[in-house]
Amino acid sequence: MDISSPTAIARLILPKVPLMLQIAVWHSLRIPQTSTKWDLKTELIVKTLRSLLDSPHPTPISKQQKASLHDPGIKGKMWISKTTFPAPEKNDILDILNRAVEDLKEQSEKYTPTVMAAVEAEWTGYRPNVDNHRQRPDLSERQHYSKLMSDVKSDVTVLYFHGGALFMMDPCTHRGTTSHLAYLTNGRVLSVRYRLAPQNPFPAALLDALIAYLSLLYPPAESFHTSVPATHIILAGDSAGGNICLSLVQLLLQINRSTTKSFFFHSHTITLPLPLPAACSTVAPWLDLTRSMPSITTNARYDYLPPPISREKVSTFPHCEVWPTDPPRGDLYSDTSFLCHPLVSPLAAKDWTGACPLWFSYGEEMLADEVQIVASKAAKQGVTVVSEQWEAMPHCFVLILLGSSMSKKAYQNWAAFCQDVVKGEKIRTRGLWIEASTGKESEVEVQSLCKISDKEVRERMGAAKVARHLGSEGEGKLLPKL
């Protein structure tokens, strides 16, 4: 899907005009079930997106990825300071990551070992008193950071991981989201350019996330920032970025369970246990890469995500320079045998004991079950959990339905959670169900959000993993449906 220019967007949208006219007419006649829950704008956005994403003619991975990395530029009400955290000189961090991966894996699971690399990121802040077209000043990146910090009014530091199915998107595509979070929290956001699949499979992105987190706590030489207390750091992400957030929480917990006493990171000798962030906040996190929970089917009417892969109807990528991989791999992000590993699919994690507070915002979407299962399990294990589910809303509605009352309220709740946690306010476990037509909030018990047993979760994920493996043999690789 090419969205790299106005001409490309026009080529994409023009063929959908008849569909959009039909959607508008049917909505006005109240024919679709969704018309009682959605306004016309939501109906058009969701159903047009669904048509675009479930194309019978898949685009090569390299082309999808390139189009998704288009930089729209920096202007208007945002400060952006680009920075790079160097790769640590010693392999301690890589060794600790590999040990955690090995300790949590089953014997039959295999993965591609990664290497350390420098981690690029963008410091993001809100720039007041300018219009939306004001150009970025011609300053050094360090000067941009100083300007950004001069407008920061709170201790909130958000460590952000963008969505994009783990193979698309970039901090540049999420500047609208991160700058708005900075505005609402009066804080700053560090948006991480983690390495993308398929060129960099698991655990490369997770290693980048760990290096970024440690770099906030223990800044490398020449960093723009000073050490940030863990109590001021909020992990945040949408969709696949939410996966990285929850995987990072699991990784930190596993590191702290290990027998390692200390490790070296740049010029710092760090003694375990590692401090956990103040909280983890995610919007529609993708927590099950097998896509095997019931809501994938039962909530499809409210979502635009395409259906999961089946053995009977397999879509394959056209070959390109990045896919299939060499050696071949059954999934873009990991080997198919690794899809149920808790650092790949956090839905499979058995123990959330000791985790930081977790905040979830999601719709009545295809990924709802996996979010609710994790939220419910963590709450039962003593973790503070806030779950906010929005009736009839699609995947990542907070980001795609900008300007809607639901999106505005969800953003406000997100920012308020970040502020309250950093201020040290007591957060209680609670669940909310928010009605689409009225915005009325009803409290629900988080521990009882989902009725799917742990046994059924394991069976569903295991069966889906086997089917993915069998379906990928011979053909090369499958088209991921997220």
Side-chain angles (χ1 to χ4, degrees), residues 29-61:
L29 297 174
R30 291 291 188 263
I31 293 175
Q33 288 182 328
T34 51
S35 62
T36 61
K37 307 291 185 183
W38 291 347
D39 58 19
L40 177 57
K41 180 180 177 181
T42 301
E43 195 103 44
L44 284 167
I45 290 173
V46 174
K47 293 186 175 179
T48 303
L49 271 174
R50 183 186 299 161
S51 174
L52 290 168
L53 293 176
D54 197 19
S55 170
H57 307 292
T59 305
I61 281 293

Side-chain angles (χ1 to χ4, degrees), residues 151-184:
D151 288 317
V152 168
K153 308 301 180 188
S154 81
D155 290 329
V156 173
T157 299
V158 176
L159 181 59
Y160 198 90
F161 301 97
H162 64 82
L166 298 165
F167 77 99
M168 294 188 296
M169 302 298 181
D170 184 84
C172 72
T173 62
H174 281 61
R175 287 177 188 143
T177 298
T178 54
S179 62
H180 195 48
L181 267 181
Y183 166 68
L184 292 173

Side-chain angles (χ1 to χ4, degrees), residues 412-451:
Q412 290 166 0
N413 291 359
W414 193 359
F417 173 80
C418 294
Q419 289 177 312
D420 288 347
V421 167
V422 171
K423 288 176 182 176
E425 303 283 348
K426 184 172 177 57
I427 308 296
R428 68 179 179 91
T429 292
R430 67 189 183 114
L432 289 179
W433 167 261
I434 301 97
E435 293 182 7
S437 54
T438 64
K440 180 183 176 182
E441 298 180 354
S442 303
E443 289 223 8
V444 296
E445 188 179 70
V446 176
Q447 292 86 341
S448 305
L449 277 175
C450 196
K451 305 302 181 184

Side-chain angles (χ1 to χ4, degrees), residues 78-122:
M78 63 178 74
W79 289 114
I80 301 293
S81 172
K82 300 176 183 180
T83 191
T84 301
F85 301 127
E89 301 90 343
K90 295 187 177 181
N91 283 333
D92 290 24
I93 287 296
L94 184 58
D95 293 342
I96 286 174
L97 170 68
N98 287 336
R99 190 176 307 120
V101 172
E102 290 288 336
D103 287 346
L104 291 169
K105 83 178 185 70
E106 296 179 359
Q107 191 171 1
S108 61
E109 295 175 339
K110 59 182 181 179
Y111 68 102
T112 305
T114 191
V115 297
M116 287 193 296
V119 177
E120 297 181 5
E122 291 187 354

